[in-house]
Amino acid sequence: MSRVFNFSAGPATLPLSVLEQVQSELLDWHGSGMSVMEMSHRDKDFMSIAAEAEKDLRELLAVPANYKVLFMQGGAMGQFAAVPMNLLRGKTSADYVVTGSWSTKAIKEAARYAKANTAAKPAEGKFNHVPERSTWKLDPDAAYVYYCPNETIEGVEFGWVPEVGTVPLVADFSSTFLSRPLDVSKFGLIYAGAQKNAGAAGITFVIVRDDLIGQPLPATPSVFDYKLMADNESMLNTPPCFAWYVSGLVFKWLKSEGGLAKVGERNQRKAALLYDLIDSQSFYRNPVAKQDRSWMNVVFTLANPELDADFLKGAAKAGLPGLKGHRSVGGMRASIYNAMPEAGVQALVDYMKEFARTRG
Ligand SMILES: *Cc1c(COP(=O)(O)O)cnc(C)c1O
């Protein structure tokens, strides 16, 4: 077996111990004589897997009791629609802070259901910083304020949770979910697809304050109705059982690593390793304002883009695949989610130094 350090933005690297546990339990889960893939979701074995995952997730994030934790399908993009369908609650508009490609997609989707206001947005093509809170134009009558704490494509991350008064705050945490401690009580709703930082593709976590649910738009599909899902413990229909199980193992792994405070410190160190190298020379460059640089997705360009292909080829050969930047922005992107060990980041730094020395 040979494992690489996989820098893919998502689906992304998973903890080796989680994969090994999946492997060892694949044919016979805990003496059940069957795989989790083959179990009825109504069976007590799967019910215990599902309940345990929710318990561990609640514990990791210290989710307050008045919040529902839902396990949904349709990805983060499904939530682009589910959020306005559920949270308008008789209102007509919502405020969106647009800081990159994903919040741009989110506001576009929301505009199909609501008057979606752009509350803040850097000048066109300048998704390289978070607009200062004092510049945001918020409407006190908006149903909610929406933002994307980590823009996966541009590598722009909020290091702070915005204060928005009494209007519920909604956040797409997909690419920075569980990367550090979070005060859930500051939010009306947070959601995240699993495949970046918390499991395998196919499941999406939604954590929502319970007073906000129960007034969906009439045309809301039942599987996107938060209240219906909550009332049915996310098993209104067949859930993505296997992905739910894998996420449960990732939650256990995070607990065994010391919880989110410890994991957050490690993530900060990993990011610093890369940004310190990028800032220490002139061959590599990161375009993001220093205070808004992502801990999860480190984007960088080479001084000579004609070397991009060679850089990627050499990296893949060195066991460092997945570094190509998103097709919409080009350059490079190192996604260094929770499961990327510090040794992986160090290996990348060593490769980058050597490449710059010999080819720069
Ligand atoms: C990946 C990603 C999405 C899209 O997720 P899907 O599960 O593919 O729908 C949305 N938002 C952010 C911030 C992402 O990183």
Side-chain angles (χ1 to χ4, degrees):
M1 184 189 74
S2 104
R3 297 269 305 164
V4 296
F5 291 120
N6 173 10
F7 291 92
S8 167
T13 190
L14 283 163
L16 181 59
S17 63
V18 166
L19 294 174
E20 284 170 342
Q21 189 170 348
V22 169
Q23 184 181 43
S24 76
E25 297 176 342
L26 191 66
L27 303 183
D28 176 9
W29 184 85
H30 294 206
S32 65
M34 63 178 88
S35 172
V36 176
M37 267 184 261
E38 304 168 298
M39 281 175 190
S40 165
H41 56 296
R42 310 283 178 201
D43 188 276
K44 68 171 179 7
D45 280 342
F46 185 75
M47 299 285 268
S48 74
I49 290 170
E52 186 92 354
E54 177 175 343
K55 182 175 101 17
D56 287 334
L57 179 54
R58 281 185 176 275
E59 197 177 312
L60 280 167
L61 281 171
V63 177
N66 63 324
Y67 283 72
K68 303 287 188 199
V69 174
L70 308 177
F71 295 83
M72 299 183 68
Q73 303 190 60
M77 206 177 248
Q79 296 304 315
F80 292 176
V83 163
M85 285 192 287
N86 284 273
L87 295 196
L88 281 173
R89 295 166 296 129
K91 294 184 180 262
T92 53
S93 77
D95 285 342
Y96 278 72
V97 178
V98 179
T99 51
S101 299
W102 285 117
S103 45
T104 299
K105 287 204 164 98
I107 188 173
K108 235 171 150 175
E109 186 77 359
R112 304 175 63 195
Y113 306 96
K115 185 170 169 290
N117 303 318
T118 302
K121 183 183 178 178
E124 217 54 59
K126 288 278 182 208
F127 288 138
N128 59 4
H129 69 284
V130 173
E132 265 183 53
R133 171 66 188 84
S134 59
T135 66
W136 298 10
K137 293 195 177 67
L138 297 180
D139 171 5
D141 279 330
Y144 57 87
V145 179
Y146 180 106
Y147 80 114
C148 179
N150 185 64
E151 286 285 0
T152 322
I153 292 174
E154 287 82 6
V156 172
E157 183 160 18
F158 284 67
W160 43 284
V161 176
E163 290 294 340
V164 295
T166 55
V167 177
L169 184 61
V170 173
D172 172 5
F173 266 92
S174 292
S175 50
T176 190
F177 192 56
L178 305 175
S179 70
R180 66 188 87 177
L182 184 71
D183 182 354
V184 174
S185 72
K186 290 191 166 159
F187 296 86
L189 181 148
I190 73 179
Y191 68 83
Q195 73 272 22
K196 311 282 165 63
N197 216 4
I203 196 159
T204 308
F205 318 107
V206 176
I207 302 177
V208 58
R209 214 173 65 212
D210 56 17
D211 63 289
L212 298 176
I213 64 176
Q215 300 174 63
L217 296 180
T220 304
S222 298
V223 294
F224 276 169
D225 179 331
Y226 297 143
K227 182 71 165 59
L228 264 181
M229 287 301 269
D231 288 347
N232 289 276
E233 292 173 339
S234 304
M235 295 196 202
L236 182 67
N237 64 330
T238 315
C241 302
F242 199 76
W244 195 328
Y245 155 72
V246 174
S247 291
L249 297 181
V250 171
F251 302 154
K252 288 236 179 284
W253 173 77
L254 287 167
K255 284 172 67 178
S256 76
E257 292 290 294
L260 300 191
K262 271 270 161 353
V263 167
E265 285 166 21
R266 185 165 69 206
N267 285 332
Q268 188 171 23
R269 283 199 303 275
K270 280 154 50 185
L273 210 54
L274 267 169
Y275 289 123
D276 285 350
L277 166 67
I278 290 168
D279 290 341
S280 70
Q281 42 72 63
S282 55
F283 183 70
Y284 302 107
R285 204 181 146 270
N286 168 284
V288 180
K290 277 199 175 143
Q291 73 278 6
D292 303 326
R293 285 171 163 182
S294 173
W295 290 7
M296 296 281 106
N297 310 98
V298 178
V299 301
F300 59 93
T301 52
L302 276 50
N304 177 3
E306 279 169 18
L307 294 174
D308 282 6
D310 281 1
F311 178 90
L312 289 166
K313 225 166 108 188
K317 230 174 115 188
L320 309 167
L323 289 164
K324 194 172 176 19
H326 191 271
R327 59 187 185 278
S328 63
V329 296
M332 307 297 157
R333 170 176 51 174
S335 295
I336 52 173
Y337 301 120
N338 286 340
M340 172 60 66
E342 287 180 283
V345 179
Q346 188 59 56
L348 173 59
V349 164
D350 293 344
Y351 171 76
M352 287 169 69
K353 279 187 182 159
E354 185 60 14
F355 189 88
R357 191 182 67 79
T358 54
R359 306 292 307 276

